[in-house]
Amino acid sequence: MKSWVAGAEGSGYDVTHLPYGVFSSGDDEPRVGVRIGDFVVDLAPLAASEMLEGAHVFETRSLNAFMALGRPAWDSVRGWLFEMLTDEEERETVEPFLQPVSEVVMHMPFEVADYVDFYCSLHHASNTGRIFRPDAEPLRPNWRHLPVGYHGRAGTVVPSGTPVVRPNGQRKSEQAESPAYEPTRRLDIEAELGFVVGAPSARGRSVGTAAFADHVFGVVLVNDWSARDIQGWESVPLGPFLAKSFATSIATWVTPLAALSSAYVDLPGQDPEPLPYLAVDDPAGLDVEVEIELNGTVVSRPPYRTMYWSPAQMLAHLTVNGASLRTGDLYASGTISGPDPGQRGSLLELSWGGREPFDLAGTKRSFLEDGDVVVLRATAPGADDTRILLGEVAGRIEPADRD
Amino acid sequence: MKSWVAGAEGSGYDVTHLPYGVFSSGDDEPRVGVRIGDFVVDLAPLAASEMLEGAHVFETRSLNAFMALGRPAWDSVRGWLFEMLTDEEERETVEPFLQPVSEVVMHMPFEVADYVDFYCSLHHASNTGRIFRPDAEPLRPNWRHLPVGYHGRAGTVVPSGTPVVRPNGQRKSEQAESPAYEPTRRLDIEAELGFVVGAPSARGRSVGTAAFADHVFGVVLVNDWSARDIQGWESVPLGPFLAKSFATSIATWVTPLAALSSAYVDLPGQDPEPLPYLAVDDPAGLDVEVEIELNGTVVSRPPYRTMYWSPAQMLAHLTVNGASLRTGDLYASGTISGPDPGQRGSLLELSWGGREPFDLAGTKRSFLEDGDVVVLRATAPGADDTRILLGEVAGRIEPADRD
């Protein structure tokens, strides 16, 4: 089925995709929209004019109210949108509510409740092990038994396009006797996929892998900015803190989980077999192709299908202790790195800890410099042999605050 | 100055204290109250009847709206309350809005934005080092240079009185080849003091130690429940995750920072001298006396004045990378342990890793058993030689979910 919206086919935003976001135009209040081709559908007035039940959830400046309704409502709205955007007879009804994306401002798509970051790539975990502990076994003993994760700062999750100020902090070189306070010298990216929780769960009860699609509303690309020197000094024994908490960028368009139904692939293989609470029916992986662009040059193409732990396993692990889910919870995969050097999801790995700078348009680079612009993009197979384009994540590095 | 409210003097809740909370009675909606003696002042209707500017902030089910107003508003409301509760002529005005605390239900006092947990006790950090790494230097190299901290789960911060379900999870003994999935066997407490952020800050700018009182609204006792066996297996390299995220209990009464003005004491001493961004004017410590009661018996009396890092230093460190603050951010001190065995703030330390069970009413105990009830209490010097009683934190352990 094709949409009557001109240019939607082949744009990555055809009717098999339909990502949600929060937009505004002119002095209007931000509100929920859905993307089709190069247009945003202004959902609140369209839904109201069509007397759609619960239309008020689109009048708010976040997706949270809609996401809280749960899977049946998500599927129902998606079915209705598909109908409105493919049926030529609905054209007259819908067209007044279309606005060119070039004429709107995109905002944070949802209010982040808790933010958890995992560490699910075997290749990333192995690479960091080899870089930092070259004489030891790269993987820690727990790594193949559970998806390792930790909580990040929800309040500094920012939408694509937000400038990122180079953080100040403590760093200590091995030679130095004491730490220095200065701007990070090893500012890095982490290309990740984030999963957005819509339906909450009760405290004290776990959410099994089979309930993944009942709770997860959709997916966003994530750039988990990292200051490696701050991280190295602060992280033992309680994990990363200020090295990550200054900013985490996400896409402004949330791809509904339903749009990825053709993207499921088998996991690369888990050995040993996970404990029963982590068991999944294959295919549980996602065939999302990511691309990292630095100052206009693609420097890496991390393949999400190489990830060891699946999104449903992350969710089951996150809640196995009875931790409840809230609408707006965001959990990210951790850096996506494939087996090949050109598939690494961080500059730390691309420059092998800074020891092997990589080529960037004729110069040698390791970590981020002021003024650098990073853009993450991703595609996935859509239904009907289409290809969907996930919302990009862009950010520019600004100099450190020197006051 | 004394209050005309009978019984307020000497109760720990006299006019020098005036903690805020959220209460309801009967079928009423929860709303903001302030405690005086054994009564709650129903603030919204009193403030409205007195035409207090901004009275609507008390009509909500959280302190966030009031806390967002900032220090001048907090001081002004506190001054007004002092006046209303000490001036005998206001008695007729206020009395209709007093309800006995025994007849109301207390709720979460505020919506937690981000939750950060620090590790600021030298004695706690040294004890855990000695317990887990007996042959190594107990303190990590970074410990005396920065207040080590990490993000916890905001969505599972619960009010005093909420039952705590024993969490399931992965644990692995040193002898075992693989981890087991089962209820934690080493469920523990951590007695901490929590600091509640009222006034937000901008992303990209740090909040210096001198701005502490402009941002921090008040203080709550915290019990940071911990599953030590889960923690031991999961924590390397990204820190505690499921070992902590099932529940963190806080008091339902928030003690205003202003009520602790007589509680400041010198820090025990910092060596080496901290970096300039962590410099504080003495006295920066707080003389809060904590008491841990297990099944009706006091098992420890941790003294907060022995903490190495001050609350202002935690805040400055938390924001030094430009991480913004939001109204409702909660940061906790980490386990409070003094130098003496009877001052340890966790069962891990009281039982020395379970190797030296302690006496509890004639029995030997190490970690928490189902049905155990833990109550944390604390007092501090108030103004005018009074003693204020912080809101207690109580919790009962329920058996693990076995589905």
Side-chain angles (χ1 to χ4, degrees), chain A residues 214-233:
Chain A
D214 295 334
H215 290 275
V216 170
F217 172 78
V219 168
V220 285
L221 268 176
V222 174
N223 187 346
D224 185 33
W225 307 94
S226 301
R228 301 299 180 188
D229 39 9
I230 295 173
Q231 188 174 355
W233 173 235

Side-chain angles (χ1 to χ4, degrees), chain A residues 205-215 277 279-280 312-313 315-317 319:
Chain A
R205 306 288 295 184
S206 57
V207 174
T209 55
F212 170 65
D214 295 334
H215 290 275
Y277 81 89
V280 279
Q313 289 172 319
L315 187 68
H317 188 63
T319 60

